[in-house]
Amino acid sequence: MTFDTIDLIKPLMLAVRAAGYTTPTPIQAQAIPPGLAGRDLCGQAQTGTGKTAAFVLPILQRLATTPGTGGIRVLVLAPTRELAGQIHETFQKLSVNLPKIRSGVVFGGVSERPQQMMLRQGVDVLVATPGRLLDLGNQGYVQIKNLDVLVLDEADRMLDMGFLPDVRRVLRQLPTQRQTMLFSATIPDAIEKLAKELLKNPVRISVTPEQPTVERIQQTVHFVERSRKKALLAQLLASPGVSRAVVFTRTKHGANRLAEDLAKVNIYAQAIHGNKSQKARTVALDNFKSGGIRVLVATDIAARGID
Ligand code: AMP
């Protein structure tokens, strides 16, 4: 199957090509056609499967080919600011040839001002973490009465992170007549229940990567005394086979201390965690992606949603 066999309008076809996508991933092949037909979707898929473009493409096509009635037309809820940012980037990348479509992103931990101004100017697509969306909604900045499409991404993580009450609060404000798509890596009972409430006669899709990440990763355990832990880590990180590494710590403080200790043995590392400003986190991630830094030290919460 190729993208040519999917009925995408030209501006999207060109954007797909410019993004370097040649063949649809399995989730895209299964989700885009019913998505284009306006069906509700329940997709079981992890990050890395191409699930973002699987909902972004049908949404952009709908926006480009049908008129809106004012206000936000598409709302995407995501659990973390990193994931929200990545989804927003995908919307921007794939709508390059559709200049009339405006998308925006809001998440907590940064000033509300620029987000309020962006919402005042109006957007067609809003990607949001639930808490900040509610805050801005309470202040009157979010008009979602005329919503056409709702997406819940990484629903199981939203559940894990305790966001379900916030999500339900948002849902109560939405029109019932809409297209809804739910994506989740796992479908525990609570998500199944949510899906039943939210989705009308959904198309169910499940993709498991041919090689799940955990199988591609060789896992080893080292038993070591606490006092020798840092020296062993430094030795592992210095070995030639390690071009880039992410080190997870339990606490934010531990992440900072470890990054400092690694610097003392000439391993340049940056820490990312919830206490760092969004800017600092973005800079550290960009540096890591571009190869500017080899080692990222992260608390697990901060690492969520990283592609
Ligand atoms: P996602 O699972 O949505 O986070 O996507 C994972 C990565 O795959 C992203 O970096 C996308 O840009 C990329 N991607 C998505 N769809 C395709 C495709 N059809 N071909 C090649 N790469 C893709």
Side-chain angles (χ1 to χ4, degrees), residues 3 20-25 28 46-53 93 307:
F3 275 104
Y21 306 169
T22 45
T23 10
T25 64
Q28 290 164 2
Q46 301 172 335
T47 292
T49 52
K51 68 179 162 67
T52 315
K93 186 164 68 176
D307 176 2

Side-chain angles (χ1 to χ4, degrees), residues 157-186:
R157 276 196 184 157
M158 290 210 254
L159 174 76
D160 287 347
M161 293 171 81
F163 290 160
L164 235 39
D166 279 353
V167 170
R168 286 184 189 283
R169 232 162 270 147
V170 175
L171 295 175
R172 283 200 285 275
Q173 303 173 25
L174 302 179
T176 49
Q177 188 67 30
R178 53 156 205 261
Q179 182 179 14
T180 308
M181 310 188 209
L182 181 148
F183 291 87
S184 198
T186 57

Side-chain angles (χ1 to χ4, degrees), residues 1 3 6-8 16 24-38 41 50 53-59 61 179 205:
M1 190 172 192
F3 275 104
I6 299 178
D7 217 359
L8 290 175
V16 161
T25 64
I27 183 117
Q28 290 164 2
Q30 293 176 63
I32 295 174
L36 285 173
L41 296 178
F55 62 80
V56 168
L57 286 168
I59 285 174
Q61 180 133 326
Q179 182 179 14
I205 297 161

Side-chain angles (χ1 to χ4, degrees), residues 5 37 39-40 54 76 100 113 160 169 207 227 230 274 306:
T5 57
R39 295 284 305 270
D40 280 4
V76 182
K100 286 207 190 112
R113 277 305 293 159
D160 287 347
R169 232 162 270 147
V207 295
S227 60
K230 285 202 176 122
I306 292 177

